[in-house]
């Protein structure tokens, strides 16, 4: 692909006016909008800032490469900009940035565009090109410099490929002859960044260029936007003196078991290539054991905060749980619609409702299982699933309980299972090699299940059982004397743990009152309280888009349907990832909505159905108004209070 199609002259800024990083981003985004490369400035700028919040894209040597890939981008483009005085871009080397390359990639970019973006990115480690770009005064000069650099790179790449093919042929011949004359050390590397359109390929180019200068053979696997390229073979890994991982996202690690491995951020692959290659060739990096959890040297461990690790584990559980929430929730919502027209005993209602419920039965187990897998890899899947299942069931452990531990118990189960497996791996690592085959099929499953099951059975479940008993006793002691306070309390409780002891105690109390008296006043309070959290999420993701990822915005839309259907679980993925903001804002709106139903004397003689049972209410308009007021209050609080979301690593 001709680079002129990426480096548009109309999009270049040859004299950037900005004096700060924020102003520079704003000026470049405005330029993109003016020339029609993007159609939503707020969305694109938000994603640029999210990437900057992760790590600065000021890569050093006077270069900054802000980039984003989202649906606001209409065509793949690279905006070139120059600043004569330089801008403090918070670059990794602490020096001002003079050259800017703002990369815009559309969500559906084809491989041709992605390959061109990768090739252009890899050119920027060429010091001659960078020096000439700093002198360029016109857009035509910039395009010509890149065309010449690309032609030179393609010629060199072709020569290198021929040389490498000849070398591999000679090595095979030498191996067949029983000799080993290869005097050069050999290392392998993997580069990866979250967006995969810039740093991945710059790190690849920097490592290859530095290795050539040092007389080291290297093969670099890239995990970029095109997928995995130049995948390392088991033979190459086996031959390598060491392994370099320059990545800001997860890569396939177990294959490097037993190798000296240095694990650093992708920016180190660009700026510290010589250091990484020395560590690998001299085998000064720690030996990686795939059973021991994360493979990180001391420096990389320090560079990742404890919260960043916890957050990544949490997101792994939430992202795997989301399809169950959306799929199961939508089918349940359809079932409530059908119930009104065909009745509760219709096979159509039962089919949709049961399938939705089956999906929902996996919410907490999947959440816990994939949190555990993120921490302890595949051996943690079993104890995570079982621990999550135990948290999702009202069990009779050492203390009988009428409600499950819910998603909070599931979160605890996931982290307990993951770290149990991590410590089991460490505890069993000195067993004889002859027992290695028994670890994954016998020792890990049995011991981890025993430990996690015991913790859930004797500690977690009993704690929540005691909490549930205390809450139920408290509600029963209140009676219905002060209806507004009781309605606010029941509504708020529906939002505290969304399926846990508080939620279940409130709902069970309302059901019990309704069954005994046929008075649906308290059912109105809990119904409104349960509808508010997902509706608040939907409102916040609609009106504060820049604070949520694309995946969260899509899940937020489904919460409109889940909310009106009284499916509180739609809010669980958000509450699990950001409990403070979600739960506090939801409790406030739910309490207000629940209190209003009692203030206005609303009565809903139905145990479920959300707004679909509005015709059954004695005051349908007041019932709907309570839902709207509570949801809007919670949604506004959450939207204003929640900080802009940082990009995931």
């Amino acid at each position: 692909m001709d680079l002129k199609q990426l480096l548009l002259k109309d999009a270049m800024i040859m004299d950037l006016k900005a004096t700060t990083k924020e102003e520079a981003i704003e000026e470049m985004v405005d330029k993109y909008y003016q020339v029609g490369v993007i159609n939503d400035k707020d969305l694109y700028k938000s994603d640029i800032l999210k990437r900057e919040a992760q790590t600065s894209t000021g890569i050093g040597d006077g270069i900054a490469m802000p980039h984003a890939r989202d649906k606001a981008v209409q065509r793949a483009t690279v905006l070139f900009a120059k600043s004569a005085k330089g801008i403090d871009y918070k670059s990794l080397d602490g020096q001002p940035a003079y050259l800017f390359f703002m990369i815009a990639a559309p969500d559906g970019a084809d491989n041709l565009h992605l390959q061109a973006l990768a090739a252009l990115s890899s050119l920027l480690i060429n010091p001659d090109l960078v020096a000439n770009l700093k002198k360029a005064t016109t857009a035509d000069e910039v395009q010509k410099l890149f065309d010449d650099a690309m032609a030179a790179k393609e010629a060199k790449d072709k020569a290198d490929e021929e040389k490498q093919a000849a070398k591999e042929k000679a090595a095979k011949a030498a191996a067949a002859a029983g000799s080993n004359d290869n005097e050069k050390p050999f290392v392998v590397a993997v580069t990866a960044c979250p967006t995969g359109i810039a740093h991945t390929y710059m790190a690849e180019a920097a490592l290859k260029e530095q290795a050539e200068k040092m007389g080291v053979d290297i093969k670099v696997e890239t995990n970029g936007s095109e997928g995995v390229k130049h995948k390392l073979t088991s033979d190459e890994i086996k031959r390598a003196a060491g392994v370099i991982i320059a990545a800001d996202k997860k890569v396939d690690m177990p294959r490097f078991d037993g190798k000296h491995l240095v694990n650093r951020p992708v920016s180190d692959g660009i700026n510290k290539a010589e250091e990484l290659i020395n560590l690998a060739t001299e085998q000064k990096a720690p030996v990686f054991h795939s059973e021991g959890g994360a493979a990180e040297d001391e420096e990389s461990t320090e560079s990742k905060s404890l919260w960043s690790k916890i957050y990544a584990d949490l997101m792994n559980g939430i992202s795997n749980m989301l399809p169950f929430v959306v799929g199961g929730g939508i089918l349940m919502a359809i079932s409530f619609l059908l119930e009104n027209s065909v009745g509760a005993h219709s096979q159509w209602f039962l089919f949709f409702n049961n399938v939705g419920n089956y999906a929902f039965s996996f919410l907490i187990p999947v959440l816990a299982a994939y949190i555990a897998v993120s921490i302890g890899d595949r051996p943690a899947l079993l104890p995570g699933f079982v621990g999550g299942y135990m948290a999702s069931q009202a069990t009779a452990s050492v203390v009988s309980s009428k409600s499950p531990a819910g998603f909070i118990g599931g979160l605890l189960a996931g982290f307990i299972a993951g770290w149990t497996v991590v410590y089991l791996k460490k505890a069993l690592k000195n067993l004889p090699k002859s027992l290695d085959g028994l670890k994954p099929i016998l020792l890990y499953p049995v011991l981890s299940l025993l430990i996690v099951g015991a913790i859930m059975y004797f500690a977690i479940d009993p704690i929540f059982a005691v909490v549930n008993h205390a809450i139920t006793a408290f509600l029963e002691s209140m009676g219905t004397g002060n209806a507004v306070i009781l309605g606010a309390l029941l509504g708020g409780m529906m939002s505290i743990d969304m399926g846990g002891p508080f939620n279940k105690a409130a709902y069970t109390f309302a059901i019990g009152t309704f069954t005994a008296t046929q008075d649906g006043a308290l059912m109105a309070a809990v119904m409104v309280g349960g509808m508010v959290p997902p509706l608040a999420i939907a409102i916040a993701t609609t009106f504060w888009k820049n604070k949520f990822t694309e995946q969260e915005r899509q899940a937020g839309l489904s919460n409109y349907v889940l909310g009106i259907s009284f499916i509180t679980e739609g809010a669980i993925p958000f509450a699990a990832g950001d409990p403070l903001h979600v739960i506090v804002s939801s409790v406030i709106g739910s309490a207000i909505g629940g209190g209003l139903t009692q203030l206005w004397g609303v009565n809903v003689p139905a145990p479920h159905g959300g707004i679909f049972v509005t015709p059954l209410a004695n005051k349908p308009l007041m019932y709907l108004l309570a839902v709207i007021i509570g949801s809007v209050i919670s949604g506004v609080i959450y939207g204003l209070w929640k900080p802009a979301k940082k990009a995931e690593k």
Side-chain angles (χ1 to χ4, degrees):
M1 180 179 183
D2 189 345
L3 288 183
K4 289 187 178 70
Q5 296 179 42
L6 287 177
L7 279 162
L8 300 180
K9 289 194 290 185
D10 290 346
M12 293 187 191
I13 306 175
M14 300 306 295
D15 183 18
L16 202 62
K17 305 299 182 187
T19 58
T20 67
K21 178 176 181 175
E22 292 73 21
E23 290 175 358
I25 290 173
E26 185 75 38
E27 190 173 342
M28 288 186 283
V29 171
D30 282 344
K31 187 68 172 179
Y32 262 152
Y33 188 71
Q34 290 169 18
V35 298
V37 170
I38 59 174
N39 61 12
D40 186 334
K41 286 200 296 185
D42 291 338
L43 173 58
Y44 182 71
K45 181 181 175 182
S46 170
D47 287 336
I48 287 286
L49 293 176
K50 287 174 185 176
R51 180 62 184 88
E52 294 298 327
Q54 179 188 328
T55 52
S56 174
T57 58
I59 61 174
D61 292 329
I63 298 174
M65 295 189 67
H67 54 273
R69 182 181 183 184
D70 61 36
K71 64 181 181 182
V73 180
Q74 302 304 292
R75 55 172 295 183
T77 311
V78 178
L79 182 156
F80 172 75
K82 284 182 61 177
S83 171
K85 295 181 179 179
I87 294 172
D88 180 6
Y89 202 82
K90 307 297 187 292
S91 297
L92 299 176
D93 62 358
Q95 298 302 308
Y98 296 91
L99 303 179
F100 300 84
F101 299 87
M102 180 173 273
I103 299 176
D107 261 347
D110 58 32
N111 280 341
L112 190 61
H113 283 91
L114 294 173
Q115 289 166 9
L117 287 170
L120 185 144
S121 300
S122 66
L123 293 176
L124 295 178
I125 66 158
N126 181 336
D128 293 334
L129 173 61
V130 172
N132 289 329
L133 286 171
K134 289 179 179 179
K135 299 174 187 176
T137 58
T138 68
D140 287 325
E141 284 183 75
V142 173
Q143 286 188 332
K144 186 175 188 311
L145 285 170
F146 271 101
D147 282 343
D148 292 345
M150 179 58 80
K153 182 179 184 298
E154 288 174 348
K156 183 178 183 301
D157 287 347
K158 184 177 180 180
D160 288 345
E161 287 176 9
E162 292 173 353
K163 188 188 299 183
Q164 183 63 29
K167 188 185 297 182
E168 290 176 0
K169 183 177 180 180
K172 288 179 181 178
S179 64
N180 184 9
D181 298 327
N182 184 15
E183 71 282 359
K184 283 187 178 182
F186 175 63
V187 298
V188 293
V190 180
T191 63
C193 66
T195 51
I197 58 175
H199 289 58
T200 300
Y201 304 104
M202 293 184 72
E204 175 198 22
L207 287 167
K208 289 168 74 173
E209 182 173 302
Q210 186 61 43
E212 185 176 5
K213 291 178 183 177
M214 297 170 65
V216 173
D217 281 342
I218 189 170
K219 180 173 180 182
V220 184
E221 173 184 300
T222 56
N223 286 204
S225 52
E226 300 177 85
V228 176
K229 297 291 185 181
H230 316 301
K231 188 171 179 66
L232 301 173
T233 66
S234 57
D235 180 62
E236 288 166 341
I237 295 170
K238 184 178 179 181
R239 288 194 297 115
V243 178
I244 298 168
I245 305 294
D248 287 337
K249 70 176 186 179
K250 282 194 171 186
V251 297
D252 180 15
M253 297 296 288
R255 53 188 167 151
F256 302 122
D257 184 59
K259 304 297 295 187
H260 289 274
L261 185 147
V262 54
N263 190 352
R264 298 288 185 84
V266 70
S267 58
D268 282 5
I270 301 170
N271 298 304
K272 300 180 180 180
E274 183 176 4
E275 177 187 339
L276 303 189
I277 292 171
N278 279 331
L279 285 170
T281 55
E282 296 171 13
Q283 299 189 331
K284 291 182 178 178
V287 174
F288 169 62
H289 296 290
S290 64
E291 295 180 349
E296 297 175 344
D297 62 19
E298 292 179 4
E299 184 173 337
S300 66
T301 302
E302 290 170 4
S303 69
K304 298 178 181 178
S305 69
L306 176 61
W307 170 243
S308 295
K309 180 69 175 73
I310 292 173
Y311 186 75
D313 299 333
L314 201 55
M315 287 302 104
N316 196 54
I318 291 171
S319 62
N320 281 283
M321 176 181 66
L322 264 177
F324 292 83
V325 175
V326 176
I330 297 298
L331 290 188
M332 287 179 68
I334 293 172
S335 76
F336 295 144
L337 278 171
L338 291 171
E339 184 182 16
N340 290 332
S341 57
V342 300
H345 300 291
S346 162
Q347 285 299 322
W348 284 110
F349 164 75
L350 293 173
F351 167 70
F352 279 96
N353 192 261
N354 286 336
V355 173
N357 272 301
Y358 293 148
F360 263 41
S361 68
F362 286 95
L363 294 189
I364 307 303
V366 168
L367 173 67
Y370 284 94
I371 288 174
V373 168
S374 180
I375 298 169
D377 279 333
R378 192 175 299 173
L381 185 68
L382 165 68
F385 253 120
V386 176
Y389 181 75
M390 293 177 73
S392 71
Q393 301 298 306
T395 57
S397 57
V398 292
V399 179
S400 181
S401 175
K402 295 180 181 179
S403 77
F407 90 88
I408 296 176
L411 290 176
L412 293 173
F415 284 101
I416 290 168
W419 284 106
T420 294
V421 170
V422 167
Y423 285 110
L424 273 177
K425 290 174 178 179
K426 291 180 179 179
L428 301 177
K429 69 179 181 181
N430 293 322
L431 287 178
K433 287 287 184 183
S434 59
L435 297 179
D436 279 355
L438 290 178
K439 290 180 184 178
I441 64 169
L442 178 63
L443 298 181
Y444 294 150
V446 172
L447 294 177
S448 64
L449 183 59
L450 181 64
I451 294 168
V452 173
I455 293 172
M456 296 299 295
Y457 189 86
F458 291 106
I460 304 300
D461 284 346
I463 288 172
F464 282 96
V466 171
V467 170
N468 179 64
H469 179 75
I471 295 168
T472 304
F474 171 72
L475 290 174
E476 289 173 349
S477 69
M478 281 193 69
T480 58
N482 194 328
V484 175
I485 293 177
L486 183 59
L489 183 62
L490 291 173
M493 288 173 62
M494 294 296 291
S495 295
I496 292 178
D497 51 6
M498 302 172 195
F502 285 89
N503 175 286
K504 284 294 186 286
Y507 186 72
T508 302
F509 181 75
I511 285 285
T513 302
F514 174 59
T515 302
T517 66
Q518 296 303 302
D519 182 352
L522 297 184
M523 284 309 309
V526 298
M527 200 100 73
V528 169
M531 285 191 278
V532 165
L535 287 173
I537 296 292
I539 290 168
T541 55
T542 298
F543 293 99
W544 285 271
K545 293 181 179 180
N546 63 314
K547 295 188 175 185
F548 299 90
T549 65
E550 179 64 25
Q551 184 185 42
E552 287 173 329
R553 289 194 292 271
Q554 292 171 356
L557 289 175
S558 68
N559 270 278
Y560 281 114
V561 177
L562 303 182
I564 64 175
S565 306
F566 185 41
I567 301 174
T568 315
E569 288 85 351
I572 287 180
F574 293 85
D578 186 10
L580 176 65
H581 298 103
V582 172
I583 293 176
V584 172
S585 57
S586 295
V587 167
I588 293 171
S590 293
I592 291 171
L596 288 175
T597 63
Q598 304 309 293
L599 179 65
W600 294 334
V602 178
N603 189 306
V604 181
H608 63 74
I611 67 164
F612 302 119
V613 296
T614 301
L616 302 178
N618 64 330
K619 297 180 180 179
L621 291 179
M622 293 301 176
Y623 175 54
L624 292 176
L625 192 57
V627 174
I628 293 169
I629 291 173
S631 301
V632 169
I633 289 173
S634 285
V636 170
I637 292 173
Y638 180 41
L640 292 174
W641 189 19
K642 177 180 171 60
K645 191 173 183 65
K646 293 185 178 181
E648 297 172 31
K649 291 189 178 183

